[in-house]
Amino acid sequence: MALLTFELPDGTTRRVDVVQVLNAGYAGRSQDDVAAHVAELAELGVPAPSVTPALYPVAPYLAQHTDRVSVQHGRTSGEAEWALVVDGDGELLLTAACDHTDRELEVHGVAWSKNAGPDVLARRAWRLADVQERLDTLTLRAWVSHAASGGSADGAGSGGTGGFGKETVIQDGTLAELLTPGYWAEVLRERGDLLPGTVLISGTIPMAEGVDQFADRWRVELGDPATGDVIELAYDVVRMPAPIG
């Protein structure tokens, strides 16, 4: 299992032994946004889902705090999301997440692709109750960077000299675009799955057209305009060595 530790705004920490991870999909409140995401995936060869919203269980160890994601090829990408975390006392926490997905595998099965990469979670969180009244105003943004000239995904992430080019915004929206944490908490409660150690990843918002999602670095921010507080995560995407055999 995975052990995650979150710092709260008051300086206290919550340690969470992850027992299950669930990834929501096609979870926009607007059917237009859902259709846009289905179209994005269709361009990559992913068949449309039979029902929306969807929910995909993934291995608990895939919930990670990490600044480095190892991949087997160049067609993987993240997705800016929020994560609902049930701590050991049953309290609901909200944090930023990035679901890193194998797009080559996705054309054969979304559930398979979700299990091929980690769900990267930020190291800070808010109590859901503290932001519940202004959830729709919370912002969700993602930026991507590509290896600068002379660098590469593996070079930049493992001490190469090329570094990264300029960040480009690839996702920019608010939580009003997605089904709410309360919606998913009720779904889990009805299933008997709202258990301490549960992590639910929200599903994502549309990506900007014309931005290369197959990047060497991802950064995600969950922001609260009312307080100016921002929860952030970032990681390098690092290509593994070629296999032998």
Side-chain angles (χ1 to χ4, degrees), residues 88-236:
D89 296 325
E91 185 169 19
L92 303 182
L93 308 178
L94 186 71
T95 191
C98 195
D99 171 21
H100 202 81
T101 301
D102 186 320
R103 302 301 181 186
E104 290 283 0
L105 187 57
E106 195 171 37
V107 302
H108 301 289
V110 173
W112 293 351
S113 70
K114 297 297 182 186
N115 277 277
D119 287 322
V120 181
L121 281 79
R123 298 176 186 271
R124 296 183 60 241
W126 298 317
R127 294 177 180 87
L128 179 61
D130 290 344
V131 295
Q132 181 68 52
E133 296 304 315
R134 56 182 185 275
L135 273 175
D136 283 1
T137 69
L138 301 184
T139 58
L140 186 61
R141 298 187 175 102
W143 293 259
V144 291
S145 306
H146 296 82
S149 179
S152 65
D154 40 87
S158 57
T161 59
F164 295 110
K166 181 181 178 180
E167 282 190 323
T168 303
V169 175
I170 189 168
Q171 293 177 281
D172 188 353
T174 69
L175 268 60
E177 298 177 54
L178 296 167
L179 293 172
T180 66
Y183 169 88
W184 287 113
E186 186 58 30
V187 168
L188 296 185
R189 188 176 289 112
E190 290 176 355
R191 289 164 53 105
D193 282 334
L194 195 65
L195 307 171
T198 296
V199 176
L200 183 137
I201 312 295
S202 66
T204 196
I205 59 178
M207 293 188 186
E209 293 184 8
V211 179
D212 182 6
Q213 65 180 288
F214 302 121
D216 302 310
R217 183 173 174 82
W218 277 77
R219 182 167 68 88
V220 173
E221 285 186 355
L222 178 65
D224 183 355
T227 64
D229 196 12
V230 172
I231 294 176
E232 180 184 61
L233 66 90
Y235 61 88
D236 298 346

Side-chain angles (χ1 to χ4, degrees), residues 1-4 18-21 57-64 115 197 199:
M1 302 301 176
L3 176 62
L4 303 177
V18 179
V19 298
Q20 63 176 344
V21 179
V58 303
Y61 63 80
L62 292 175
Q64 299 178 15
N115 277 277
V199 176

